[in-house]
Amino acid sequence: MDASPNPSAASWSRSRIAALNAQFEPHGPKAILNWAVHTFDDDLAQGTGFGPSGIVIMHMLADLRPGTTVFYLDTDLLFPETYELCEDLDARLDVDVTRVHGGLSLDEQAEQEGEALWNRNPNRCCFLRKVKPLKNFLADRRAWITGVRRDQSERRADADILSWEDQYGVFKINPLANWTQKEVWKYLFEHDLPYNPKHDQGYPSLGCVPCTEPVDEADGYSREGRWGDADKTECGLHTSLGEEESEAAGS
Ligand code: SF4
């Protein structure tokens, strides 16, 4: 696949991004990641919440470019099993696992915004604990790899493999966009990779403890169980998927 020696936002037209997407579509995620690491080098970082897709990508990156930055947004509200999985993956895989935190403790948030903001205004809470820290972290990067897949939800069904994210000023790469949940789990088992034990307890997707519930029977979408009955399916990180959440959260 073509590589750009010096990519910048200005030099990448929409038609060029569309052409690259057409080129990527028949290729597997490892070929796409190989293109990404050769194109963006040190300016590339993977973001993950240590879900199955993120672990597949971490494993591929450890092989393609050992030492690649893999960051997670620590909201202080992740499941204990998620923190344990983070430590396990950090020890097993040759990537640079990096904690990103907004600097606002839960006590400070309660003082400024009131108790249990996640119940009263989850968009504001996600903005403070996820979107803002992500924006700061990506400020000096050019490319962000995510585990977004089209089969995860209706809103993700049109996700591109490569896009320009204006809000963060980076290229976003979704190397597993056209993979299925089944393909992801097959890869995990074939490579004997660990996964969050909460998935075996009815949690298809794991975020923060107050906003994640088990589900009786997933309807085929792996993001079921997030934000319960609230009319919210994205935390606002993926602007092309959840613009209203990001805007509602303010700046
Ligand atoms: S997922 Fe819930 S607790 Fe976590 S940052 Fe968003 S609203 Fe807050």
Side-chain angles (χ1 to χ4, degrees), residues 152-163:
Q152 284 174 315
S153 68
E154 282 180 90
R155 296 188 70 167
R156 296 187 172 196
D158 296 325
D160 286 325
I161 293 172
L162 176 70
S163 59

Side-chain angles (χ1 to χ4, degrees), residues 75 77 118 122-123 125-126 129-130 208 210-211 227 232 235:
T75 60
L77 290 161
W118 43 87
N123 287 330
C125 186
C126 275
R129 309 204 76 76
K130 293 183 173 181
C208 297
C211 302
W227 296 287
K232 178 173 169 69
C235 47

Side-chain angles (χ1 to χ4, degrees), residues 217-240:
E217 190 175 339
D219 70 355
Y221 285 129
S222 60
R223 284 181 69 78
E224 286 293 299
R226 299 287 290 277
W227 296 287
D229 294 332
D231 183 20
K232 178 173 169 69
T233 57
E234 296 284 346
C235 47
L237 300 184
H238 302 287
T239 53
S240 55

